[in-house]
């Protein structure tokens, strides 16, 4: 991967492309959307399965991060971008989950269960790997679009994590046209 980064915490996020329309691609889309950063195909060392999992992740905007907080498991919703095979996450600072993720190994997952489409059926992806707090450049923050106005009654205060997926798993379900 390139060694230069616009984030102030090290390599891996890379320069952000110009923002696209901000629309979600069609569910099940196989191409990395231009509002998600660069696609995984250009990342050396990725297996076909990991590339496919990253492509599916790039086709949706939100997922769930799992971490341990004071020895208890927690799940939190996060907005994500896929950039050069890594995942940039935005979550609410007020919940404090980002501190538990920083420097630790987390799991991140997403699916199309609420927007399932014809040809690809249902899918879910899960990743495991290290995460760290980062400060992306303005162009990358813009790619996320606007955040929620409130989270649990608090004004939304974004914090960003870079997640480096080491393990990837994809699960799919295909249905026949018959009932």
């Amino acid at each position: 991967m390139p060694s230069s980064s616009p984030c102030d915490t090290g390599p891996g996020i890379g320069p952000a492309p110009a923002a696209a329309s901000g629309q979600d691609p069609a569910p099940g889309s196989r191409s990395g959307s231009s509002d998600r950063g660069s696609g995984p195909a250009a990342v050396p060392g990725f297996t076909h399965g990991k590339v496919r999992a990253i492509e599916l992740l790039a086709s949706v905007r939100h997922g769930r991060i799992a971490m341990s907080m004071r020895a208890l498991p927690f799940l939190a919703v996060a907005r994500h971008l896929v950039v050069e095979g890594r995942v940039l996450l935005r979550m609410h600072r007020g919940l404090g989950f980002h501190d538990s993720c920083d420097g630790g190994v987390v799991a991140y997952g997403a699916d199309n269960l609420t927007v399932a489409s014809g040809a690809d059926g249902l899918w879910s992806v899960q990743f495991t790997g290290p995460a760290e707090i980062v400060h992306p450049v303005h162009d990358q923050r813009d790619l996320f679009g606007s955040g929620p106005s409130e989270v649990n009654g608090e004004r939304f205060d974004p914090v960003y994590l870079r997640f480096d997926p080491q393990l990837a798993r994809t699960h799919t379900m295909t249905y026949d046209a018959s009932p």
Side-chain angles (χ1 to χ4, degrees):
M1 287 192 193
S3 61
S4 64
S5 170
C7 289
D8 67 5
T9 60
I13 296 299
S21 67
Q23 298 294 317
D24 275 334
S29 169
R30 295 183 187 267
S31 62
S33 174
S34 60
D35 75 335
R36 305 286 191 288
S38 60
V43 180
F46 270 27
T47 64
H48 174 70
K50 191 171 181 180
V51 168
R52 180 67 177 137
I54 292 285
E55 287 173 344
L56 289 170
L57 182 66
S59 74
V60 296
R61 291 178 180 241
H62 293 86
R64 290 161 299 284
I65 188 167
M67 82 286 306
S68 176
M69 197 167 169
R70 293 183 289 280
L72 296 173
F74 278 89
L75 288 174
V77 173
R79 168 80 164 92
H80 63 260
L81 299 173
V82 174
V83 183
E84 294 182 5
R86 289 188 174 167
V87 181
L88 187 60
L89 302 173
R90 179 183 71 187
M91 53 195 312
H92 177 54
R93 182 183 313 271
L95 300 174
F97 293 146
H98 63 287
D99 288 328
S100 294
C101 298
D102 190 28
V105 174
V106 300
Y108 190 72
D111 56 59
N112 73 339
L113 300 179
T114 59
V115 292
S117 68
D120 283 346
L122 298 173
W123 58 261
S124 67
V125 293
Q126 298 85 39
F127 302 91
T128 305
E132 64 182 325
I133 294 173
V134 295
H135 304 282
V137 295
H138 182 71
D139 289 347
Q140 287 177 332
R141 289 190 309 265
D142 287 349
L143 290 175
F144 280 102
S146 61
S149 58
E150 292 184 353
V151 175
N152 294 344
E154 294 180 14
R155 182 149 181 82
F156 179 65
D157 182 14
V159 64
Y160 299 89
L161 296 167
R162 180 177 58 221
F163 173 64
D164 188 13
Q166 302 294 309
L167 302 173
R169 183 67 124 184
T170 302
H171 300 281
T172 60
M173 290 190 291
T174 306
Y175 291 89
D176 292 336
S178 61

